[in-house]
């Protein structure tokens, strides 16, 4: 069990550029979540996948945000035309539905800075 | 919708003091309740959880009891250590949504 990994850990971009983040969940976990955390706040739920199916996307912050999990393993979160307000920590979590417990395990996050 | 309210920080205590961090929630149905901890420079880690009313979660000397009648899940520890300094988040799942709903976090500072 190597834990949830995220790449990159830090991303600095200029306003208007597109960015993509990757999340690799714990290998046997079938459910994957994305969250955003701004300074001084708790994580805010964005979207989640059950295997490759995206089951909730109404919480995505705008149509500039999109996420995929094409083969039911790793996932990507893309932000198009970034704005300064997108600067935040983006967290990924995974869990095994149907397994013991009801626990999401979090990755270290990708810190995005939009200049 | 679901919401979690936890006491504002920072909370500053001396080593070996008793700790309580209050957490109350609003949710439909019967959510599961969690405390996550974020140590400086690290990611979120699950500290403890409870999945039904009157359950007590415990770990590393921390405890919290799921109180449905008061919709609360207060975190307690009898004797804190400097190494407990971190940000603590109360969270819930269920109640009609699968993603976790978090409180704003409480920054705990333990002084030697």
């Amino acid at each position: 069990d190597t834990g949830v990994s995220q790449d990159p850990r830090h991303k600095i971009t200029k306003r208007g550029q597109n960015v993509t983040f990757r999340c690799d969940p714990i290998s046997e976990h079938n459910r994957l979540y994305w969250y955003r955390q701004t300074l001084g706040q708790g994580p805010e739920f964005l979207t989640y996948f059950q295997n490759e199916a995206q089951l909730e996307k109404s919480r995505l912050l705008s149509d500039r945000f999109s996420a995929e999990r094409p083969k039911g393993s790793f996932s990507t979160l893309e932000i198009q035309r970034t704005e300064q307000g997108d600067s935040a920590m983006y967290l990924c979590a995974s869990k095994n539905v149907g397994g013991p417990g009801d626990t999401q395990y979090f990755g270290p996050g990708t810190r995005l800075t939009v200049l | 919708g679901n919401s979690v309210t936890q006491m504002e920080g920072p909370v500053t205590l001396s080593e070996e003091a008793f700790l309580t961090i209050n957490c109350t929630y609003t949710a439909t149905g019967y959510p599961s309740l969690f405390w996550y901890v974020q140590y400086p420079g690290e990611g979120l880690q699950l500290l403890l959880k409870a999945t039904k009313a009157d359950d007590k979660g415990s770990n590393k000397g921390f405890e919290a009891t799921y109180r449905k009648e008061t919709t609360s899940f207060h975190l307690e520890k009898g004797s804190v250590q400097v190494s407990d300094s971190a940000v603590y988040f109360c969270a819930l799942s269920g109640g009609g949504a699968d993603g976790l709903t978090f409180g704003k976090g409480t920054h705990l500072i333990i002084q030697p």
Side-chain angles (χ1 to χ4, degrees):
Chain A
D1 179 357
T2 58
V4 179
S5 61
Q6 293 186 245
D7 183 70
R9 295 291 304 275
H10 303 274
K11 177 71 176 177
I12 300 174
T13 191
K14 293 182 179 179
R15 190 177 53 182
Q17 298 296 304
N18 299 343
V19 294
T20 300
F21 310 139
R22 177 179 171 127
C23 170
D24 287 88
I26 294 171
S27 59
E28 67 270 22
H29 285 187
N30 47 27
R31 197 160 281 187
L32 185 149
Y33 303 81
W34 284 99
Y35 293 83
R36 182 182 76 160
Q37 186 177 17
T38 54
L39 198 62
Q41 301 294 316
E44 175 186 12
F45 168 64
L46 297 179
T47 187
Y48 80 102
F49 295 84
Q50 173 72 27
N51 298 315
E52 66 275 11
Q54 190 172 12
L55 298 186
E56 170 65 66
K57 51 184 174 181
S58 66
R59 307 281 190 95
L60 286 168
L61 300 163
S62 78
D63 58 7
R64 298 184 296 106
F65 287 71
S66 62
E68 294 184 339
R69 195 183 184 197
K71 297 182 180 178
S73 56
F74 74 91
S75 175
T76 57
L77 177 70
E78 181 182 17
I79 309 174
Q80 296 183 328
R81 306 181 303 280
T82 52
E83 302 173 356
Q84 288 186 325
D86 297 332
S87 296
M89 180 75 85
Y90 291 85
L91 300 171
C92 176
S94 68
K95 77 175 183 183
N96 187 25
V97 174
D102 178 27
T103 301
Q104 294 185 26
Y105 295 89
F106 282 80
T110 294
R111 182 169 296 283
L112 173 66
T113 302
V114 182
L115 302 177
Chain B
N2 296 340
S3 68
V4 174
T5 302
Q6 60 183 106
M7 61 192 292
E8 299 281 331
V11 173
T12 304
L13 296 172
S14 297
E15 205 166 19
E16 299 184 0
F18 184 86
L19 168 71
T20 300
I21 300 178
N22 290 337
C23 171
T24 58
Y25 68 89
T26 302
T28 56
Y30 303 96
S32 296
L33 301 173
F34 305 83
W35 278 100
Y36 280 83
V37 60
Q38 191 167 35
Y39 297 104
E42 298 185 16
L44 279 167
Q45 302 174 24
L46 178 69
L47 181 60
L48 53 83
K49 67 179 183 182
T51 57
K52 62 182 187 294
D54 300 324
D55 269 2
K56 178 185 284 189
S58 61
N59 186 26
K60 299 182 181 179
F62 290 89
E63 293 183 338
T65 301
Y66 189 141
R67 300 287 189 200
K68 190 172 187 300
E69 63 277 12
T70 55
T71 61
S72 65
F73 193 55
H74 304 322
L75 182 69
E76 297 182 336
K77 187 174 184 182
S79 176
V80 292
Q81 306 300 312
V82 172
S83 57
D84 294 327
S85 298
V87 181
Y88 292 81
F89 293 93
C90 185
L92 68 84
S93 73
D98 193 70
L100 290 168
T101 300
F102 283 86
K104 291 186 176 181
T106 302
H107 186 193
L108 176 65
I109 301 168
I110 307 301
Q111 297 178 333

